[in-house]
């Protein structure tokens, strides 16, 4: 007789105590911080327009070109917070510990977009008109998750996505050549890491409750993973520039995002899976091997590109070669 598997709703209820426990842990370790304290307000001045200030000029920015690209991508990704809130509220609900977490997460994430935008505009790091137009286009599209309101897949996705965002912010800060910007993004990265730990712990509990369904969810998410900013206009070119610099590329995604989270869940050593669970794990292993190979090919091509640039006197960012 086939063992009955819990429904998504049943799992949601069974995980409620785990959510409550991790919410309490999060509130104890999350330190209050003030976004306005990271902004050099004394550098601010009026822009052109109704106030008759000074128009923006690229020479006013002290941020590197690739730093500007990455900062804009990171900020536009954060801007779609209303859609993200809507998506997770649909899946997790607005009641009990789940609902408390949804609102707390949203409030913490809200600081990130506020702080980054205030910093960029105050320091004149990017073209403010282009930034606003890009925001309108990106938010006008909204965001719709590919997880089809599946609770397990949703938790699996954000476990990886929060860590990816943390690494992207942290590496972007280092590539800006601006210590104050780096300090701000490092602080934001701390939030993202705590969010990752919260979701990672929930999925670890899901593996205990429903290992086969959770393994399938993880496999499907890894195989179809896209960052929420992938709908940004001209994202392909921007993400390539970011990857070529070494801020976030497939090697980082494989080695520093997907692999450590999978190890934390113990997916490779897990016992007692049924045929479906084992099949999902085999698919996952095959996909990870292909991703590793693809990442290696990209690194080889990037090394050749950097060599050609150096030979022709075009010096790439020194950190990109690290």
């Amino acid at each position: 007789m086939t063992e009955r598997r819990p429904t998504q709703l049943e799992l949601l209820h069974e995980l409620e105590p785990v959510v409550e426990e991790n919410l309490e842990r999060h509130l104890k370790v999350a330190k209050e911080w003030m976004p306005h304290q990271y902004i050099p307000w004394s550098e601010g001045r009026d822009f052109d327009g109704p106030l008759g200030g000074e128009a923006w000029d690229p020479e006013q920015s002290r941020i590197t070109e690739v730093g500007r690209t990455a900062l804009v991508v990171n900020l536009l990704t954060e801007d779609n917070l209303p859609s993200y809130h809507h998506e997770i509220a649909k899946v997790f609900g607005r009641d009990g510990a789940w609902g408390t977490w949804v609102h707390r997460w949203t409030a913490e994430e809200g600081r990130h977009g506020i702080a980054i935008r205030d910093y960029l505009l105050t320091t004149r790091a990017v073209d403010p008109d282009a930034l606003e137009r890009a925001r309108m286009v990106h938010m006008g599209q909204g965001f719709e998750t590919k997880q089809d309101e599946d609770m397990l897949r949703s938790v699996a996705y954000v476990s990886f996505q929060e860590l990816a965002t943390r690494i992207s912010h942290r590496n972007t800060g280092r590539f800006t050549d601006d210590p104050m910007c780096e300090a701000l993004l490092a602080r934001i990265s701390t939030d993202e890491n705590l969010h990752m730990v919260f979701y990672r712990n929930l999925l670890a509990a899901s593996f205990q409750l429903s290992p086969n369904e959770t393994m399938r969810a993880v496999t499907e998410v890894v195989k179809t993973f896209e960052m929420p900013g992938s709908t940004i206009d001209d994202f392909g070119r921007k993400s390539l520039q970011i990857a070529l610099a070494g801020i976030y590329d497939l090697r980082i995604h494989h080695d520093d995002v997907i692999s450590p989270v999978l190890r934390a869940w113990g997916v490779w050593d897990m016992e007692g899976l049924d045929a479906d669970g084992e099949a999902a794990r085999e698919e996952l292993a095959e996909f990870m091997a292909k991703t590793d190979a693809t990442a290696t090919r990209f690194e080889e091509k990037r090394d050749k590109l950097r060599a050609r640039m150096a030979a022709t006197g075009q010096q790439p960012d020194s950190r990109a070669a690290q």
Side-chain angles (χ1 to χ4, degrees), residues 58-71:
E59 293 185 1
Q60 296 168 357
S61 176
R62 58 173 175 254
I63 304 295
T64 62
E65 181 182 355
V66 69
R68 288 198 297 270
T69 298
L71 278 166

PDB file of all heavy atoms in Angstrom, residues 58-71:
ATOM      1  N   PRO A  58      28.266  62.050 -16.072  1.00  0.00           N
ATOM      2  CA  PRO A  58      29.006  60.832 -15.685  1.00  0.00           C
ATOM      3  C   PRO A  58      30.256  61.109 -14.866  1.00  0.00           C
ATOM      4  O   PRO A  58      30.648  60.289 -14.018  1.00  0.00           O
ATOM      5  CB  PRO A  58      29.349  60.193 -17.031  1.00  0.00           C
ATOM      6  CG  PRO A  58      28.285  60.674 -17.960  1.00  0.00           C
ATOM      7  CD  PRO A  58      27.983  62.077 -17.515  1.00  0.00           C
ATOM      8  N   GLU A  59      30.892  62.246 -15.094  1.00  0.00           N
ATOM      9  CA  GLU A  59      32.117  62.553 -14.369  1.00  0.00           C
ATOM     10  C   GLU A  59      31.869  62.803 -12.880  1.00  0.00           C
ATOM     11  O   GLU A  59      32.807  62.806 -12.075  1.00  0.00           O
ATOM     12  CB  GLU A  59      32.812  63.769 -14.995  1.00  0.00           C
ATOM     13  CG  GLU A  59      33.339  63.506 -16.404  1.00  0.00           C
ATOM     14  CD  GLU A  59      34.124  64.678 -16.949  1.00  0.00           C
ATOM     15  OE1 GLU A  59      34.262  65.686 -16.216  1.00  0.00           O
ATOM     16  OE2 GLU A  59      34.604  64.593 -18.102  1.00  0.00           O
ATOM     17  N   GLN A  60      30.609  63.012 -12.509  1.00  0.00           N
ATOM     18  CA  GLN A  60      30.299  63.238 -11.096  1.00  0.00           C
ATOM     19  C   GLN A  60      30.336  61.941 -10.289  1.00  0.00           C
ATOM     20  O   GLN A  60      30.417  61.962  -9.068  1.00  0.00           O
ATOM     21  CB  GLN A  60      28.910  63.872 -10.970  1.00  0.00           C
ATOM     22  CG  GLN A  60      28.799  65.252 -11.587  1.00  0.00           C
ATOM     23  CD  GLN A  60      27.345  65.713 -11.704  1.00  0.00           C
ATOM     24  OE1 GLN A  60      26.426  64.982 -11.379  1.00  0.00           O
ATOM     25  NE2 GLN A  60      27.159  66.931 -12.188  1.00  0.00           N
ATOM     26  N   SER A  61      30.269  60.815 -10.967  1.00  0.00           N
ATOM     27  CA  SER A  61      30.230  59.528 -10.276  1.00  0.00           C
ATOM     28  C   SER A  61      31.629  59.047  -9.931  1.00  0.00           C
ATOM     29  O   SER A  61      32.541  59.096 -10.751  1.00  0.00           O
ATOM     30  CB  SER A  61      29.543  58.480 -11.154  1.00  0.00           C
ATOM     31  OG  SER A  61      29.572  57.211 -10.537  1.00  0.00           O
ATOM     32  N   ARG A  62      31.790  58.595  -8.703  1.00  0.00           N
ATOM     33  CA  ARG A  62      33.076  58.024  -8.297  1.00  0.00           C
ATOM     34  C   ARG A  62      33.040  56.494  -8.332  1.00  0.00           C
ATOM     35  O   ARG A  62      33.979  55.828  -7.925  1.00  0.00           O
ATOM     36  CB  ARG A  62      33.448  58.504  -6.893  1.00  0.00           C
ATOM     37  CG  ARG A  62      32.436  58.169  -5.802  1.00  0.00           C
ATOM     38  CD  ARG A  62      33.006  58.556  -4.434  1.00  0.00           C
ATOM     39  NE  ARG A  62      32.058  58.377  -3.354  1.00  0.00           N
ATOM     40  CZ  ARG A  62      31.424  59.356  -2.733  1.00  0.00           C
ATOM     41  NH1 ARG A  62      31.636  60.618  -3.111  1.00  0.00           N
ATOM     42  NH2 ARG A  62      30.581  59.116  -1.742  1.00  0.00           N
ATOM     43  N   ILE A  63      31.927  55.952  -8.804  1.00  0.00           N
ATOM     44  CA  ILE A  63      31.743  54.506  -8.878  1.00  0.00           C
ATOM     45  C   ILE A  63      32.277  53.993 -10.219  1.00  0.00           C
ATOM     46  O   ILE A  63      32.123  54.635 -11.246  1.00  0.00           O
ATOM     47  CB  ILE A  63      30.250  54.140  -8.746  1.00  0.00           C
ATOM     48  CG1 ILE A  63      29.674  54.710  -7.448  1.00  0.00           C
ATOM     49  CG2 ILE A  63      30.055  52.642  -8.797  1.00  0.00           C
ATOM     50  CD1 ILE A  63      30.260  54.132  -6.208  1.00  0.00           C
ATOM     51  N   THR A  64      32.889  52.812 -10.205  1.00  0.00           N
ATOM     52  CA  THR A  64      33.366  52.213 -11.445  1.00  0.00           C
ATOM     53  C   THR A  64      32.186  51.901 -12.362  1.00  0.00           C
ATOM     54  O   THR A  64      31.043  51.785 -11.913  1.00  0.00           O
ATOM     55  CB  THR A  64      34.118  50.906 -11.160  1.00  0.00           C
ATOM     56  OG1 THR A  64      33.211  49.966 -10.550  1.00  0.00           O
ATOM     57  CG2 THR A  64      35.297  51.138 -10.223  1.00  0.00           C
ATOM     58  N   GLU A  65      32.486  51.763 -13.658  1.00  0.00           N
ATOM     59  CA  GLU A  65      31.419  51.483 -14.623  1.00  0.00           C
ATOM     60  C   GLU A  65      30.683  50.193 -14.303  1.00  0.00           C
ATOM     61  O   GLU A  65      29.452  50.137 -14.292  1.00  0.00           O
ATOM     62  CB  GLU A  65      31.987  51.421 -16.038  1.00  0.00           C
ATOM     63  CG  GLU A  65      30.920  51.144 -17.095  1.00  0.00           C
ATOM     64  CD  GLU A  65      31.482  51.039 -18.496  1.00  0.00           C
ATOM     65  OE1 GLU A  65      32.693  51.278 -18.673  1.00  0.00           O
ATOM     66  OE2 GLU A  65      30.704  50.714 -19.425  1.00  0.00           O
ATOM     67  N   VAL A  66      31.435  49.126 -14.037  1.00  0.00           N
ATOM     68  CA  VAL A  66      30.777  47.850 -13.726  1.00  0.00           C
ATOM     69  C   VAL A  66      30.071  47.933 -12.376  1.00  0.00           C
ATOM     70  O   VAL A  66      29.027  47.307 -12.162  1.00  0.00           O
ATOM     71  CB  VAL A  66      31.792  46.688 -13.743  1.00  0.00           C
ATOM     72  CG1 VAL A  66      32.781  46.770 -12.566  1.00  0.00           C
ATOM     73  CG2 VAL A  66      31.058  45.346 -13.706  1.00  0.00           C
ATOM     74  N   GLY A  67      30.612  48.750 -11.473  1.00  0.00           N
ATOM     75  CA  GLY A  67      29.937  48.961 -10.195  1.00  0.00           C
ATOM     76  C   GLY A  67      28.587  49.622 -10.382  1.00  0.00           C
ATOM     77  O   GLY A  67      27.601  49.261  -9.728  1.00  0.00           O
ATOM     78  N   ARG A  68      28.530  50.591 -11.300  1.00  0.00           N
ATOM     79  CA  ARG A  68      27.254  51.262 -11.582  1.00  0.00           C
ATOM     80  C   ARG A  68      26.242  50.278 -12.160  1.00  0.00           C
ATOM     81  O   ARG A  68      25.068  50.265 -11.766  1.00  0.00           O
ATOM     82  CB  ARG A  68      27.470  52.430 -12.554  1.00  0.00           C
ATOM     83  CG  ARG A  68      28.174  53.628 -11.950  1.00  0.00           C
ATOM     84  CD  ARG A  68      27.979  54.886 -12.787  1.00  0.00           C
ATOM     85  NE  ARG A  68      28.562  54.779 -14.115  1.00  0.00           N
ATOM     86  CZ  ARG A  68      29.819  55.128 -14.398  1.00  0.00           C
ATOM     87  NH1 ARG A  68      30.613  55.578 -13.438  1.00  0.00           N
ATOM     88  NH2 ARG A  68      30.274  55.037 -15.627  1.00  0.00           N
ATOM     89  N   THR A  69      26.699  49.458 -13.092  1.00  0.00           N
ATOM     90  CA  THR A  69      25.795  48.472 -13.692  1.00  0.00           C
ATOM     91  C   THR A  69      25.233  47.542 -12.631  1.00  0.00           C
ATOM     92  O   THR A  69      24.024  47.287 -12.574  1.00  0.00           O
ATOM     93  CB  THR A  69      26.528  47.647 -14.763  1.00  0.00           C
ATOM     94  OG1 THR A  69      26.959  48.519 -15.820  1.00  0.00           O
ATOM     95  CG2 THR A  69      25.614  46.575 -15.342  1.00  0.00           C
ATOM     96  N   ALA A  70      26.106  47.001 -11.796  1.00  0.00           N
ATOM     97  CA  ALA A  70      25.667  46.052 -10.774  1.00  0.00           C
ATOM     98  C   ALA A  70      24.756  46.726  -9.756  1.00  0.00           C
ATOM     99  O   ALA A  70      23.763  46.130  -9.307  1.00  0.00           O
ATOM    100  CB  ALA A  70      26.884  45.441 -10.080  1.00  0.00           C
ATOM    101  N   LEU A  71      25.063  47.953  -9.375  1.00  0.00           N
ATOM    102  CA  LEU A  71      24.231  48.667  -8.406  1.00  0.00           C
ATOM    103  C   LEU A  71      22.823  48.891  -8.947  1.00  0.00           C
ATOM    104  O   LEU A  71      21.833  48.736  -8.220  1.00  0.00           O
ATOM    105  CB  LEU A  71      24.875  50.006  -8.038  1.00  0.00           C
ATOM    106  CG  LEU A  71      25.971  49.950  -6.976  1.00  0.00           C
ATOM    107  CD1 LEU A  71      26.755  51.254  -6.963  1.00  0.00           C
ATOM    108  CD2 LEU A  71      25.387  49.669  -5.600  1.00  0.00           C
TER     109      LEU A  71
END
